[in-house]
Every structure is written in structure tokens, then in C-alpha cells.
Amino acid sequence: MRRMILCLLATVSVLTLSAQSIGYIETTKNWYYIYDQNGKKIKTLSTNQGELKGYSSTFYIIKQGTAFYITYDVNGKRLHTFGAGSVGEILGVSGDTFTSRMGAWIYTWTKDGKKINTRSARQ
């Protein structure tokens, strides 16, 4: 019985964490403040980690220097590191994906690093 209760508590805890989503990221000179949809602060990050390029309710992207883009989940766990040379310029973030442009091509990526679409950029 005790084991069953512990499993139930663990399941509820996991569901609570996964239900949390990003509502807004406030940027200041030195900090990024990540808030949930209810306005409660989830996490505080130093701007020394890099430049915030975009966010959705499930993840955000930081550009570190000129070499890397890194995706993070709601709780700040690193999901994937992308080489900036293979991604190009971030255009937008939505849901669990983001789009980027490199040269004459637009790419759609998952937050976990999988390229799911490529199309030509209309000029």
C-alpha cells in the first residue's frame, strides 16, 4: 500500500511539473525572469548565458556567442545544442518548434533538435 501511495505521489508530481508553461519572459540588463501563465516566477537566468532569441509556452532559445543556439525547457533543462552555422538566423518560435533562415532556405526544427521541414525562402 505504501509503495502504491509513493507511486501515486510521484505521478502527481510529474504531472504538476509538465503542466507548467511559460507565460512571459521579462528581460532586463542583467536578468531574464521567466513567469508561468499565472504570473508566478518560475526561473531567473543571467543574461551572461547569452541572448534570448525567442520562446513559446514549452521552451526558449538562447544564443551563446556566435557559435551556438541552445533550447531549454520550462524548468531550465537543456534540451538541445545547435551549431549556429547549421541553423542560420532564428525567425520565430511557436509551440514545440522554431523556424530559422539560412541563405535561400527556411527550416523548421523541433525544440529537441530534429529538422522537420525545409522550404525555399521567397524573395
Side-chain angles (χ1 to χ4, degrees), residues 63-70 81-90 98 100-105 107 109 115:
K63 184 173 185 185
Q64 286 189 339
T66 58
F68 299 103
Y69 289 105
I70 302 172
T81 301
F82 298 85
S86 64
V87 171
E89 175 189 351
I90 302 291
F98 68 95
S100 67
R101 180 178 179 153
M102 188 166 58
W105 298 98
Y107 302 101
W109 306 84
K115 188 187 314 179

Side-chain angles (χ1 to χ4, degrees), residues 12-95:
V12 169
S13 182
V14 168
L15 290 173
T16 302
L17 284 176
S18 64
Q20 195 172 40
S21 63
I22 298 171
Y24 179 72
I25 298 180
E26 178 183 356
T27 60
T28 65
K29 182 178 179 181
N30 297 313
W31 302 102
Y32 298 122
Y33 299 104
I34 302 174
Y35 296 92
D36 69 11
Q37 64 277 10
N38 297 318
K40 179 182 175 194
K41 191 184 309 180
I42 301 171
K43 191 151 189 74
T44 302
L45 303 168
S46 170
T47 56
N48 290 336
Q49 288 187 327
E51 178 186 359
L52 177 68
K53 297 307 285 183
Y55 67 93
S56 74
S57 63
T58 61
F59 76 106
Y60 56 95
I61 301 175
I62 300 282
K63 184 173 185 185
Q64 286 189 339
T66 58
F68 299 103
Y69 289 105
I70 302 172
T71 56
Y72 295 91
D73 72 5
V74 173
N75 298 304
K77 178 184 172 200
R78 184 183 295 222
L79 299 172
H80 192 78
T81 301
F82 298 85
S86 64
V87 171
E89 175 189 351
I90 302 291
L91 299 176
V93 179
S94 179

